[in-house]
């Protein structure tokens, strides 16, 4: 069995506490799996399988191996504790200033997991009500000159945790799809800004909102940078624990928003690779695009940082980044023609937007 396939089988086992260990588990190189998990920013998810395997007595892992994974798990838990506190502080401060808001991605996603300290944390993304002009004006009044793009503006970091303030949760390059998407987000704003998690001290998106928002977020990263297993595991936990009374978008709505192909690719990976039951899927899986999606995950890792096919690596200049994005557009044009063909025009329009804002 190919090692990546074996690692994915082990992740499937890790996510399902009723599953049996995959065939070939005795052949796993645990140090190599550790690096694979680090590249995919999904270490804690893999740890769940390692811990269960070790406790079951089915396979005795070395003490060094177990301690290494345990140390990483403890580090992730500690980092989560810090980011949760900072996220609550940021949310309360915006509320004090008269802005309703909710946490996107990051700690919002972490609460979808069986244990809310399992997800490797990143920066703090917060969606603030009011629109770009009002939110940018407020940020400029606090600390002028922060970098701003179409969907968010950077804010002062707190405790070395970067903060991105969103006035739009996400976007698409196709202007027609994007207009519908922004209206859809606005129509669900009230329910997100009032979805308070009292124990954590901030609001999070509703499950319905996350079905579209997280899918758009993954779509953007796939087209422009790269995507890792952490994003897929986020969506797995969203759908695996989806409330029975929460509405789900159907294929007609996904098509109207320009997300049906991406949804089909995500559903194929969730069902065929991670074992999510068919009845929990949003739409029919798309095998052709799903296989492309999986290959990009394995080649590039989290945010495509480890993709060496074209100008890979963590450090790159703006010019190299733009060339890389255009190259990705050309590679994906037969899979996502609408988004890829509009992307160069969006970049030109975005340059004008930034000059005006």
């Amino acid at each position: 069995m190919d090692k990546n396939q074996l690692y994915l089988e082990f992740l499937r086992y890790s996510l399902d506490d009723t599953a049996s260990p995959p065939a070939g588990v005795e052949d796993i190189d645990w140090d190599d799996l550790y690096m694979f998990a680090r590249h995919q920013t999904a270490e804690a998810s893999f740890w769940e399988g390692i811990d269960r395997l070790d406790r079951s007595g089915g396979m005795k892992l070395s003490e060094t191996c177990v301690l290494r994974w345990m140390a990483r798990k403890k580090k992730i838990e500690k980092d989560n504790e810090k980011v949760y506190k900072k996220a609550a502080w940021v949310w309360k401060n915006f509320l004090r200033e008269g802005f309703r808001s909710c946490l996107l991605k990051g700690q919002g996603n972490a609460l979808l997991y069986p244990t809310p300290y399992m997800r490797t944390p990143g920066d703090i993304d917060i969606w603030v009500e009011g629109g770009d002009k009002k939110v940018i004006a407020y940020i400029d009044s606090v600390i002028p000159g922060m970098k701003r793009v179409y969907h968010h503006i950077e804010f002062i970091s707190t405790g070395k945790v970067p903060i991105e303030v969103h006035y739009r949760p996400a976007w698409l390059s196709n202007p027609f799809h994007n207009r519908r998407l922004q209206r859809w987000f606005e129509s669900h704003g009230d329910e997100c800004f009032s979805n308070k998690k009292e124990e954590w001290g901030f609001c999070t998106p509703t499950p319905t909102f996350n079905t579209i928002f997280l899918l758009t977020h993954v779509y953007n990263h796939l087209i422009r940078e790269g995507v890792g297993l952490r994003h897929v595991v986020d969506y797995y936990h969203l759908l695996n624990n989806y409330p029975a009374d929460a509405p789900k978008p159907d294929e007609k709505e996904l098509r109207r928003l320009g997300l049906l192909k991406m949804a089909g690719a995500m559903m194929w990976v969730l069902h065929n690779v991670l074992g999510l039951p068919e009845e929990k899927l949003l739409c029919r899986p798309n095998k052709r695009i799903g296989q492309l999606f999986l290959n990009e995950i394995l080649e590039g890792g989290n945010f495509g940082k480890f993709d060496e096919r074209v100008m890979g690596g963590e450090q790159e200049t703006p010019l190299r980044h733009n060339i890389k994005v255009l190259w990705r557009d050309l590679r994906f044009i037969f899979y996502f023609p609408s988004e890829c063909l509009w992307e160069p025009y969006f970049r030109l329009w975005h340059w004008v937007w930034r000059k005006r804002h």
Side-chain angles (χ1 to χ4, degrees), residues 271-329:
H271 180 60
N272 291 78
V273 179
L274 298 188
L276 186 69
E278 188 173 356
E279 63 271 16
K280 296 188 177 184
L281 302 181
L282 280 184
C283 64
R284 289 169 292 178
N286 186 319
K287 180 179 179 180
R288 172 174 167 264
I289 304 181
Q291 289 176 329
L292 169 80
F293 181 39
L294 178 61
N295 184 66
E296 290 300 312
I297 291 170
L298 297 177
E299 288 283 353
N302 195 47
F303 297 133
K305 291 180 180 179
F306 305 96
D307 191 343
E308 298 181 352
R309 289 172 295 181
V310 173
M311 298 182 182
E314 296 190 29
Q315 301 298 323
E316 59 184 13
T317 65
L319 176 61
R320 286 162 65 89
H321 175 74
N322 286 328
I323 293 174
K324 185 177 179 179
V325 171
L326 290 174
W327 174 77
R328 293 181 74 87
D329 284 337

Side-chain angles (χ1 to χ4, degrees), residues 96-129:
R96 192 177 300 117
E97 294 296 323
F99 293 95
R100 295 195 301 172
S101 64
C102 71
L103 269 292
L104 300 172
K105 301 183 289 183
Q107 300 318 111
N109 283 354
L111 295 183
L112 302 173
Y113 283 58
T115 302
Y117 296 96
M118 284 175 59
R119 186 182 188 273
T120 305
D123 54 11
I124 293 173
D125 292 85
I126 187 165
W127 179 24
V128 176
E129 187 180 31

Side-chain angles (χ1 to χ4, degrees), residues 67-116:
L67 288 176
R68 184 184 193 190
W69 282 88
M70 283 184 65
R72 182 60 186 164
K73 175 179 176 285
K74 292 295 183 184
K75 175 69 164 55
I76 291 171
E77 289 176 346
K78 185 176 181 181
D79 288 346
N80 268 302
E81 290 176 1
K82 179 176 72 172
V83 180
Y84 274 126
K85 290 178 182 178
K86 296 298 181 182
W89 177 86
V90 171
W91 183 87
K92 289 174 184 176
N93 273 273
F94 274 109
L95 184 63
R96 192 177 300 117
E97 294 296 323
F99 293 95
R100 295 195 301 172
S101 64
C102 71
L103 269 292
L104 300 172
K105 301 183 289 183
Q107 300 318 111
N109 283 354
L111 295 183
L112 302 173
Y113 283 58
T115 302

Side-chain angles (χ1 to χ4, degrees), residues 171-281:
W171 89 102
L172 292 172
S173 294
N174 182 310
F176 306 103
H177 291 157
N178 187 54
R179 188 177 298 114
R180 295 171 195 156
L181 182 70
Q182 299 310 323
R183 289 173 180 168
W184 191 93
F185 285 148
E186 290 171 10
S187 71
H188 290 265
D190 281 340
E191 61 196 49
C192 294
F193 297 133
S194 59
N195 189 35
K196 179 80 177 292
K197 304 298 182 183
E198 295 294 343
E199 178 184 356
W200 303 97
F202 50 74
C203 290
T204 65
T206 62
T208 302
F209 183 90
N210 266 333
T211 57
I212 297 298
F213 165 66
L214 293 181
L215 196 62
T216 309
H217 178 62
V218 172
Y219 193 16
N220 271 310
H221 276 297
L222 175 64
I223 296 291
R224 292 167 182 84
E225 295 177 283
V227 62
L229 279 173
R230 177 174 61 172
H231 296 94
V232 179
V233 173
D234 287 349
Y235 219 91
Y236 174 93
H237 287 304
L238 170 66
L239 294 186
N240 194 43
N241 300 290
Y242 204 84
D245 58 346
K248 280 184 181 180
D250 57 18
E251 289 194 5
K252 182 179 179 180
E253 187 165 30
L254 290 167
R255 183 181 291 108
R256 190 179 71 86
L257 296 174
L259 296 171
L260 183 58
K261 287 184 178 180
M262 186 65 241
M266 177 68 83
M267 296 308 108
W268 185 85
V269 173
L270 290 177
H271 180 60
N272 291 78
V273 179
L274 298 188
L276 186 69
E278 188 173 356
E279 63 271 16
K280 296 188 177 184
L281 302 181

